[in-house]
Amino acid sequence: MDPHELDTLVRLRQARDLIDRAYARPLDVPTMARHALMSPAHFSRRFRAAYGETPYSYLMTRRIERAMALLRAGTSVTDACMEVGCTSLGSFSSRFSELVGESPSAYRARRHEAVAAMPPCLAKVHTRPARDIPSRIREAGRGAAA
């Protein structure tokens, strides 16, 4: 791997780490791209090529994962939405339902004893939004075939 490519991957990783740490803050692609020292369009293309999804999709998946934990702990849907950095309850609920397969209210109302009995590291893996892992595998497979 040439040094330029390695540098690009390091900067993409730093931007992804920013998303993981600051998911609840207002983040947009231009801000993430500045962090990676790239133009927004170039950053979006390179991020998708490296991680199999757009930066915004990755951000929303992190937000939904955190919201799932908050909802399991009894936080209201509105409070969970705001705490993870979403500003529109409607958009949050739509994205949550798309990724998890049920509404935030239904998810909150459901019992989660099995998750409560798991160590946090396993709970995080087993409660990841259903579309998250398969979409990454599917997208990575397309990139590898190209």
Side-chain angles (χ1 to χ4, degrees):
M1 179 177 295
D2 76 47
H4 178 68
E5 185 68 21
L6 184 58
D7 182 54
T8 297
L9 290 174
V10 167
R11 288 185 279 133
L12 287 170
R13 176 57 169 240
Q14 290 170 341
R16 193 178 75 168
D17 290 346
L18 169 71
I19 296 168
D20 290 340
R21 280 191 320 273
Y23 65 86
R25 291 192 343 222
L27 283 176
D28 57 14
V29 172
T31 301
M32 294 178 225
R34 273 193 308 278
H35 194 78
L37 305 174
M38 296 178 195
S39 72
H42 183 67
F43 171 71
S44 292
R45 284 190 303 273
R46 296 305 305 259
F47 192 97
R48 184 176 182 107
Y51 299 114
E53 63 186 317
T54 66
Y56 181 76
S57 178
Y58 185 84
L59 170 64
M60 287 306 295
T61 299
R62 297 292 77 73
R63 287 177 170 172
I64 298 303
E65 284 176 351
R66 180 64 184 137
M68 291 170 72
L70 292 168
L71 293 169
R72 285 193 306 272
T75 303
S76 74
V77 172
T78 301
D79 289 346
C81 170
M82 297 304 159
E83 190 167 328
V84 300
C86 294
T87 55
S88 165
L89 186 56
S91 295
F92 167 78
S93 294
S94 294
R95 185 64 173 208
F96 189 101
S97 298
E98 177 187 330
L99 290 174
V100 178
E102 63 185 319
S103 71
S105 298
Y107 184 83
R108 182 180 183 271
R110 193 161 43 85
R111 298 181 65 94
H112 300 278
E113 290 103 359
V115 174
M118 292 179 194
C121 58
L122 289 177
K124 183 176 180 180
V125 170
H126 289 285
T127 60
R128 182 162 275 171
R131 288 192 44 209
D132 186 42
I133 293 172
S135 69
R136 287 186 188 176
I137 293 169
R138 185 172 49 251
E139 293 298 328
R142 286 184 195 150

